[in-house]
Amino acid sequence: MLKVVFLGPPGGGKGSQAQRIAPELGLAHISTGDMLRQAIREATPVGLAAKAIIDRGELVSDDVMLDLVKERITQKDCENGYILDGFPRTLPQAHALDEIVSLTHVMNLAVADDEIINRLSCRRMCQSGHTTPLADLNGGKCPVCGGEVMQRDDDQPETVKKRLVVYAQQTAPLINYYRGKGILHDINGAQSINEVRMSILQVLAP
Ligand code: AMP
């Protein structure tokens, strides 16, 4: 059973790829960012606490994230495997995850900082979490579901810079952590969406 983590900087393509690949392989797509944005829309206690943190480009606490993920992976759609998109993001999260599941693969989607800034400033997201470059919108709407799109508050340039610093400090150390475990696969995230998809599928479904 595939239990996969998509690791990489903001704008590295984790969500776009997970959204395509999870249904192809019959896996659940677990995006912790989408779960938090939904909690914000529903004004749950977790959502209310997370909003300011996310808007500053910082990370929500490990305890809150672990509770969310632990509960999510017990749901029925996860029983044939899943892709974790955006989790773990810190070493304590990775250690805690190791205690409860045995990951099969970690895909490391590498993209240079200037490309990330360019991608994030030009992307829009609908309420269902589909992310699309401005140029690919369909009459200003989401090309996947036709929904209204907006720019994420945390895709503003100052917040993006902060998110990149947070990524370098807190998340990038996971690359060596998983490399040491022998389950890391480096993917060139600068390729086209379909080329990245094919590179990932070569590893997950050879
Ligand atoms: P994303 O959609 O994955 O870019 O996540 C958006 C924001 O949600 C991040 O910038 C964090 O503030 C928060 N977030 C998502 N996943 C996590 C996580 N695993 N740990 C802490 N914060 C997270």
Side-chain angles (χ1 to χ4, degrees):
M1 179 162 93
L2 293 173
K3 294 178 185 171
V4 185
V5 166
F6 280 11
L7 187 64
K14 301 184 295 292
S16 302
Q17 293 298 334
Q19 233 164 49
R20 287 169 172 77
I21 289 170
E24 282 185 72
L25 300 182
L27 306 173
H29 172 199
I30 304 177
S31 159
T32 46
D34 283 349
M35 290 168 75
L36 291 169
R37 281 183 288 276
Q38 173 152 12
I40 291 171
R41 280 199 295 276
E42 292 171 356
T44 68
V46 166
L48 292 174
K51 167 111 179 81
I53 299 170
I54 293 176
D55 286 351
R56 284 200 300 272
E58 293 170 5
L59 295 182
V60 175
S61 81
D62 292 335
D63 288 347
V64 168
M65 296 313 301
L66 272 163
D67 284 349
L68 280 181
V69 170
K70 275 187 190 162
E71 200 272 328
R72 180 67 186 85
I73 60 177
T74 63
Q75 287 174 16
K76 184 139 181 54
D77 65 330
C78 294
E79 64 190 15
N80 294 321
Y82 44 82
I83 296 174
L84 287 164
D85 153 19
F87 183 92
R89 259 180 159 97
T90 65
L91 279 172
Q93 289 179 14
H95 294 145
L97 186 62
D98 278 345
E99 309 253 302
I100 50 172
V101 302
S102 183
L103 292 172
T104 55
H105 304 80
V106 176
M107 313 307 294
N108 177 34
L109 277 65
V111 179
D113 278 10
D114 48 356
E115 168 71 6
I116 291 170
I117 291 169
N118 186 24
R119 283 188 191 181
L120 295 188
S121 62
C122 295
R123 77 175 181 182
R124 296 295 180 268
M125 184 181 263
C126 71
Q127 290 234 328
S128 305
H130 304 124
T131 298
T132 311
L134 267 179
D136 297 344
L137 292 177
N138 186 2
K141 302 266 173 68
C142 172
V144 180
C145 66
E148 296 289 337
V149 298
M150 48 181 272
Q151 183 169 36
R152 279 172 48 171
D153 287 339
D154 60 345
D155 281 348
Q156 306 295 333
E158 283 315 304
T159 318
V160 169
K161 280 185 205 145
K162 172 74 182 182
R163 287 163 68 203
L164 286 172
V165 171
V166 168
Y167 174 78
Q169 289 175 343
Q170 303 199 53
T171 309
L174 300 187
I175 296 171
N176 278 338
Y177 175 73
Y178 287 123
R179 206 185 296 286
K181 290 181 168 289
I183 55 171
L184 190 92
H185 299 265
D186 288 301
I187 301 288
N188 173 7
Q191 305 172 94
S192 74
I193 290 194
N194 199 43
E195 284 166 342
V196 175
R197 175 180 153 270
M198 295 304 290
S199 307
I200 295 173
L201 284 174
Q202 259 165 27
V203 177
L204 296 182

